[in-house]
Amino acid sequence: MGVHEFCEIRTDRLLLRQLKQEDALDIFEMRSNAEMILYTDSKLDETVEDTRKYLEGMNEGIAEGKWLIWAMEHKEKGEVIGTVSVWNYDWEGSKAELGFGVNRRFAHQGYMKEALMAVIPFAFETMKFRTLEAYTEKGNLNSKRLLSSAGFHRVRQVSEPGYYSDRLYVMDVYEITNRSLP
């Protein structure tokens, strides 16, 4: 186990690929929308330059083996509509965390589930993790439904203080395991 080379993943409607600086406007649309942070302890990108710094940081993290994050490019439109990531690696415990976000214009159209159903097998078969976790704020019903439909089940609830706000976040923790690995 260890660092894995980044690779593209193709689905019927999506190309999951590495983020590029040319994606800044598409990602800015997502990261500057207040609806995107209703359930997360994040801050909005105020300028496209904020987004460019985010993209640079995400790609640095990939290069350093800290995480993998894919741009979800809509094949037909050529537009980046979201991101999905495997991060917070625990190699000894053989688990990692799954993160995801989709531009509100593309929500409720099955794109995120399509991306998750491609990334989950990659995390199990290529990265050899036995467990994937996903944290979602208890009020985020859409995220909870998505995780359940992708085969995750709720295992516990944790409370975390905010970093960008003084809010206490109550997070439902979902997990999925790969029982086929030895």
Side-chain angles (χ1 to χ4, degrees):
M1 300 205 193
V3 178
H4 287 274
E5 187 175 316
F6 190 91
C7 72
E8 292 183 349
I9 302 172
R10 295 178 185 277
T11 69
D12 288 343
R13 300 180 294 168
L14 301 170
L15 169 62
L16 304 180
R17 60 158 174 82
Q18 194 158 350
L19 291 159
K20 302 183 281 194
Q21 283 297 321
E22 293 82 9
D23 301 328
L25 291 177
D26 291 342
I27 297 294
F28 177 73
E29 182 181 343
M30 186 174 80
R31 291 181 48 85
S32 64
N33 183 333
E35 286 183 49
M36 291 299 296
I37 65 167
L38 285 176
Y39 301 109
T40 63
D41 184 33
S42 301
K43 66 183 189 88
L44 293 174
D45 285 0
E46 295 178 15
T47 66
V48 175
E49 186 56 33
D50 291 341
T51 304
R52 290 188 191 288
K53 288 177 185 169
Y54 164 79
L55 294 171
E56 186 176 309
M58 291 299 98
N59 284 326
E60 284 175 9
I62 291 170
E64 294 167 4
K66 293 180 179 179
W67 51 68
L68 292 178
I69 181 168
W70 289 267
M72 295 169 47
E73 181 180 314
H74 190 288
K75 285 180 179 177
E76 195 175 295
K77 297 182 186 299
E79 182 177 347
V80 173
I81 65 170
T83 60
V84 61
S85 60
V86 177
W87 68 291
N88 204 11
Y89 303 156
D90 173 0
W91 293 112
E92 284 184 27
S94 189
K95 69 180 179 178
E97 192 172 332
L98 192 67
F100 51 89
V102 68
N103 183 315
R104 303 325 269 167
R105 288 190 294 117
F106 295 92
H108 310 293
Q109 297 175 47
Y111 292 111
M112 187 53 68
K113 184 173 181 185
E114 187 173 324
L116 294 184
M117 298 312 285
V119 168
I120 292 166
F122 178 87
F124 289 148
E125 296 163 15
T126 303
M127 300 181 82
K128 303 297 186 203
F129 286 116
R130 291 179 188 265
T131 304
L132 287 178
E133 291 184 329
Y135 288 68
T136 188
E137 208 273 337
K138 73 174 185 172
N140 191 343
L141 301 180
N142 289 329
S143 182
K144 292 163 81 166
R145 276 192 292 270
L146 170 67
L147 290 168
S148 292
S149 74
F152 284 76
H153 60 279
R154 185 181 173 278
V155 292
R156 67 185 180 281
Q157 192 173 72
V158 297
S159 296
E160 300 175 342
Y163 178 79
Y164 293 106
S165 72
D166 57 4
R167 180 175 159 198
L168 183 66
Y169 290 85
V170 179
M171 308 295 284
D172 284 328
V173 182
Y174 283 74
E175 77 175 25
I176 190 170
T177 59
N178 185 354
R179 302 199 186 280
S180 66
L181 291 175

